[in-house]
Amino acid sequence: MKERSVHFYSAGYKLDGKLYLPDDCKPGEKRPAIIPNSGYMGLNEFYPRLFAQNLTEAGFVCLGFDYRGFAESEGKPGRVLVDEQVEDIVNAITFLGLQEEVDPGRIGLIGWAMAAAHVVRVAAADRRVKAVAALNGFFNGERWLRSVHSYVDFHKLLETVEEDRIRRVTTGSSLLEDPFIHYPLDPATHDVVRQELMPRPAFGKPVALEFTESLLRMNAEKIAGDISPTPLFVAHGKYNLLHPPEESLSFFEAAGEPKEWHWIEGKHNDFMFQSHPVFQELMEKLKRFFSVL
């Protein structure tokens, strides 16, 4: 895989990225292309690059980038709003279509975890997307938050959100908190995050509480039917305790054809390693799915 450092702009912010090219990509050749997108607190150097490493072997050009405010991308530190990340993906499509190695009529999206909802929202509204894959995601923010909090804790969350809304109006700023205060990790995911991600200096910075409000308002499932006729691939870990499988099952049922389902024989990210057979099985499914490009 060949790599080229790139940047593009989204809402005036300069976003940092990498263009990943197949080793056999020839000058003047136009290839189908895929943008793998990070989930919550994710960075391009983690899963987007891992997906690209495998997809370039199958002949795809890939673009990985960091959302505004993450790693080397410009933006207000701690500001994580789902609608703004969706906007970043839309602008990434425009940039990718301008690259000399890319056929702009054959662009697909992958959304990992929280970005699963991002990419289906983009695909439902933007016909430049010719295929979309949503992996280990959730598609209704309020429903998911209710599912991972007790009744009492969820109502405390709502009180905190209301207090922060008042704070933003009266002081001009949202309170910065631990990024997982309202996004609780299950034990298996926490172990992977602690071992693989936390040691990276760009990971785990405080996040403004406005994020939680943006999540409460997110409902990608209501536009699931608008994705059709764009091909849709949905995969979910059978034993995922971070994002319950019911989230993807409900979304998949609401979506129109053509669509494809894949059960992942794993949890949330316990299999997200190059040499893991479950990851390689997922990649084979994705390569076949994106052959429609």
Side-chain angles (χ1 to χ4, degrees):
M1 179 175 72
K2 295 181 286 189
E3 302 181 19
R4 184 166 79 229
S5 294
V6 296
H7 69 267
F8 63 94
Y9 292 87
S10 185
Y13 295 112
K14 184 179 180 179
L15 304 190
D16 186 65
K18 288 283 182 68
L19 195 67
Y20 301 105
L21 303 166
D23 287 328
D24 63 351
C25 196
K26 298 178 177 60
E29 186 179 10
K30 300 286 189 181
R31 296 287 188 103
I34 298 170
I35 306 173
N37 295 277
S38 292
Y40 180 59
M41 301 303 293
L43 301 173
N44 174 47
E45 67 175 299
F46 300 155
Y47 297 153
R49 190 180 188 282
L50 178 61
F51 283 118
Q53 182 179 347
N54 290 268
L55 291 167
T56 53
E57 292 176 356
F60 298 98
V61 173
C62 291
L63 171 65
F65 73 96
D66 287 307
Y67 301 117
R68 66 185 76 174
F70 283 83
E72 300 302 314
S73 290
E74 294 179 348
K76 185 176 181 181
R79 182 179 172 91
V80 181
L81 300 183
V82 294
D83 288 350
E84 292 182 351
Q85 293 190 344
V86 167
E87 184 182 15
D88 291 346
I89 295 170
V90 171
N91 291 319
I93 295 171
T94 300
F95 174 76
L96 183 58
L98 296 173
Q99 304 311 297
E100 61 181 3
E101 300 91 350
V102 172
D103 181 345
R106 295 193 291 166
I107 292 178
L109 298 178
I110 293 175
W112 169 260
M114 191 174 80
H118 294 356
V119 297
V120 299
R121 289 175 63 192
V122 175
D126 193 330
R127 291 305 170 195
R128 294 178 300 171
V129 180
K130 302 305 181 186
V132 59
L135 313 177
N136 261 344
F138 61 92
F139 302 89
N140 181 307
E142 180 177 348
R143 182 177 63 199
W144 173 68
L145 286 167
R146 286 182 182 274
S147 76
V148 294
H149 291 84
S150 70
Y151 179 82
V152 171
D153 286 344
F154 180 73
H155 283 272
K156 288 181 180 177
L157 177 155
L158 294 180
E159 291 174 1
T160 302
V161 166
E162 175 61 24
E163 290 169 0
D164 192 67
R165 185 185 300 121
I166 293 170
R167 175 190 174 92
R168 296 197 308 272
V169 169
T170 56
T171 71
S173 64
S174 179
L175 190 65
L176 291 172
E177 286 282 7
D178 182 282
F180 301 108
I181 185 173
H182 291 153
Y183 204 115
L185 300 179
D186 64 285
T189 305
H190 179 268
D191 287 345
V192 174
V193 167
R194 178 177 54 82
Q195 295 170 17
E196 301 294 328
L197 308 184
M198 283 297 187
R200 315 291 181 98
F203 183 83
K205 303 295 185 182
V207 168
L209 285 175
E210 190 177 0
F211 163 70
T212 306
E213 184 168 1
S214 80
L215 206 55
L216 285 164
R217 293 176 176 175
M218 185 278 289
N219 186 351
E221 188 170 305
K222 70 179 180 181
I223 49 86
D226 296 339
I227 299 167
S228 180
T230 301
L232 169 69
F233 179 93
V234 181
H236 207 98
K238 280 186 179 179
Y239 316 108
N240 193 335
L241 296 179
L242 179 64
H243 301 155
E246 289 77 13
E247 276 293 324
S248 286
L249 288 167
S250 179
F251 171 77
F252 187 77
E253 183 178 356
E257 297 288 351
K259 60 184 178 180
E260 179 181 345
W261 175 270
H262 173 63
W263 276 117
I264 299 170
E265 292 289 339
K267 299 176 183 178
H268 183 65
N269 55 5
D270 59 317
F271 58 90
M272 289 294 290
F273 301 94
Q274 174 67 13
S275 61
H276 201 294
V278 171
F279 175 73
Q280 285 302 322
E281 181 186 18
L282 173 62
M283 287 310 311
E284 289 305 311
K285 293 282 187 179
L286 287 169
K287 289 173 186 177
R288 285 197 291 271
F289 170 73
F290 282 112
S291 66
V292 300
L293 292 177

